[in-house]
Amino acid sequence: MKEQIYFGTYTKKTSQGIYHAFLDTDTAQVSTPQVAITVENPTYLTITDQTLLTVAKEGPLGGIAAYELADDSYVLTDDALAAGPNPCYVAFDKKRSLVYTANYHKGQIDVYRLNNDKTLTLCDSVVQTGYGHGPRKEQDGSHVHYTDLTPDGRLAVVDLGNDTVSTYDISAEGKLAPVSILKTKAGLGPRHLVFAPDKKTAYLVGELSSTVSVLDYDLTTGAFHLRQTVSTIPDDWTEHNGAAAIRISNDGRFVYVSNRGHNSLAVFEVLDGELKLIQHLTTHGDFPRDFALDPTERFILVANQNTDNATLYTRDQETGLLACCQKDIPLPEGVCVYFN
């Protein structure tokens, strides 16, 4: 069986935009990625039905763009660009036909409607102010890194700059209203969040602290509460590291985190509601930015940004453990991995 993969990239060196490849699950091999869409700095993307939504940049303008996917072609249907840096995250709300973006440099959340004709209309913009900033040099103010739905249809917002995880109610018109805020340990530098299948447990990766935290989520109040925090790197690692992407298996038994610096994937097993580290393994490259489980969950594919390569692993679905089966897949400046 062949599965489609899309890669978001930076375009600072040789990359031309969004790349496309296939994973052959019978041979456990990924084809050489090919340019699909020429666009500047498409660092994060998502796909809904036949629409690809991506972060985009055009000179001094940054924002998002929508492409219609049809018959191996990619047709730009609209973009929403504004002066300044582009966002770092994009998510789609199918029930409301809304798109959410996180802008790290602006500390801003933007909400767009994806109209029936695949055009984009800005519904709301919220700048996260009044929450202060963290103690680390990277935390000079708000740096929103993640905006995506909670299991009950609220918006979870993760802010690396001020060590917060916020929840917002979302109106039918795409307007945001704050509900609750969790202040993490100072300097945690929260980056991304995933929810467990029980809808009441979330796992928060701390980029600046190289940690992952277990959070309890209250479906009634929309509030998060801290349960546990563990390291994503070995105790004897003293060089720089930044934790990056976090994923969870569909059965909720295993959590995976990428480490940029240690250049590894950390594998955790969920036992009695807490995380236990069961494996560290190299990503065979430098600065592993993002990774993803394929639809069968028999494989994990990771992109190494600085060494322009990707690495494929087989995954034991019973133990959660990984084993490298293909490395040095050519991928320039890889940032995002998306199976469609």
Side-chain angles (χ1 to χ4, degrees), residues 47-60:
I47 297 174
T48 172
D49 298 326
Q50 291 302 109
T51 303
L52 184 150
L53 297 160
T54 181
V55 169
K57 189 175 184 294
E58 189 175 303

Side-chain angles (χ1 to χ4, degrees), residues 13-333:
K13 299 185 297 183
T14 60
S15 173
Q16 297 179 56
I18 294 173
Y19 286 71
H20 180 242
F22 292 95
L23 166 62
D24 188 323
T25 58
D26 295 324
T27 63
Q29 292 288 294
V30 173
S31 64
T32 299
Q34 304 294 326
V35 179
I37 301 172
T38 301
V39 58
E40 192 176 352
N41 279 6
T43 53
Y44 215 86
L45 63 89
T46 189
I47 297 174
T48 172
D49 298 326
Q50 291 302 109
T51 303
L52 184 150
L53 297 160
T54 181
V55 169
K57 189 175 184 294
E58 189 175 303
L61 306 178
I64 59 172
Y67 291 85
E68 185 175 14
L69 309 183
D71 300 324
D72 297 324
S73 65
Y74 306 92
V75 179
L76 178 66
T77 58
D78 198 13
D79 55 31
L81 304 174
N86 49 291
C88 61
Y89 192 90
V90 59
F92 183 67
D93 178 347
K94 190 168 185 178
K95 182 179 179 180
R96 302 181 184 94
S97 295
L98 296 176
V99 183
Y100 309 103
T101 68
N103 197 303
Y104 177 90
H105 294 284
K106 294 181 178 180
Q108 182 171 307
I109 310 152
D110 287 326
V111 184
Y112 301 88
R113 184 169 303 283
L114 181 64
N115 303 308
N116 291 335
D117 62 357
K118 309 300 183 185
T119 57
L120 297 160
T121 302
L122 181 64
C123 300
D124 201 6
S125 289
V126 175
V127 178
Q128 293 237 121
T129 58
Y131 300 138
H133 61 85
R136 299 176 185 263
K137 63 180 181 180
E138 301 94 339
Q139 297 180 300
D140 54 342
S142 173
H143 291 303
V144 181
H145 220 307
Y146 170 97
T147 47
D148 216 331
L149 293 173
T150 63
D152 56 339
R154 294 182 170 107
L155 189 69
V157 176
V158 176
D159 196 315
L160 179 146
N162 54 36
D163 291 322
T164 63
V165 181
S166 307
T167 48
Y168 289 80
D169 279 336
I170 311 160
S171 73
E173 294 75 33
K175 300 295 184 182
L176 301 180
V179 173
S180 181
I181 182 168
L182 169 70
K183 191 77 173 178
T184 72
K185 181 180 178 180
L188 187 88
R191 179 185 173 96
H192 277 199
L193 182 77
V194 293
F195 279 89
D198 68 5
K199 302 181 180 181
K200 298 181 293 184
T201 307
Y203 301 95
L204 175 71
V205 63
E207 175 182 333
L208 303 182
S209 54
S210 297
T211 60
V212 58
S213 297
V214 184
L215 306 180
D216 293 310
Y217 179 66
D218 191 320
L219 291 161
T220 302
T221 64
F224 289 97
H225 303 280
L226 176 66
R227 187 194 309 173
Q228 179 200 25
T229 298
V230 296
S231 178
T232 65
I233 51 175
D235 292 339
D236 59 356
W237 181 260
T238 57
E239 297 177 45
H240 177 266
N241 184 72
I246 182 168
R247 306 290 183 188
I248 186 171
S249 57
N250 285 336
D251 59 14
R253 296 173 56 211
F254 302 100
V255 174
Y256 301 84
V257 177
S258 57
N259 285 304
R260 301 174 299 177
H262 189 247
N263 293 337
S264 66
L265 290 180
V267 183
F268 297 90
E269 186 176 5
V270 180
L271 293 171
D272 298 323
E274 296 198 337
L275 293 176
K276 177 186 177 183
L277 179 72
I278 59 172
Q279 187 181 29
H280 271 127
L281 71 171
T282 177
T283 60
H284 298 284
D286 184 36
F287 217 67
R289 191 67 178 243
D290 191 28
F291 65 96
L293 285 80
D294 83 305
T296 70
E297 299 206 326
R298 292 167 45 215
F299 300 93
I300 278 182
L301 180 61
V302 60
N304 296 297
Q305 181 186 333
N306 288 354
T307 43
D308 299 330
N309 71 304
T311 305
L312 181 68
Y313 304 87
T314 55
R315 175 180 176 269
D316 187 311
Q317 292 172 288
E318 183 57 37
T319 66
L321 299 175
L322 306 179
C324 178
C325 60
Q326 185 185 8
K327 57 185 179 180
D328 298 323
I329 302 164
L331 175 68
E333 303 174 80

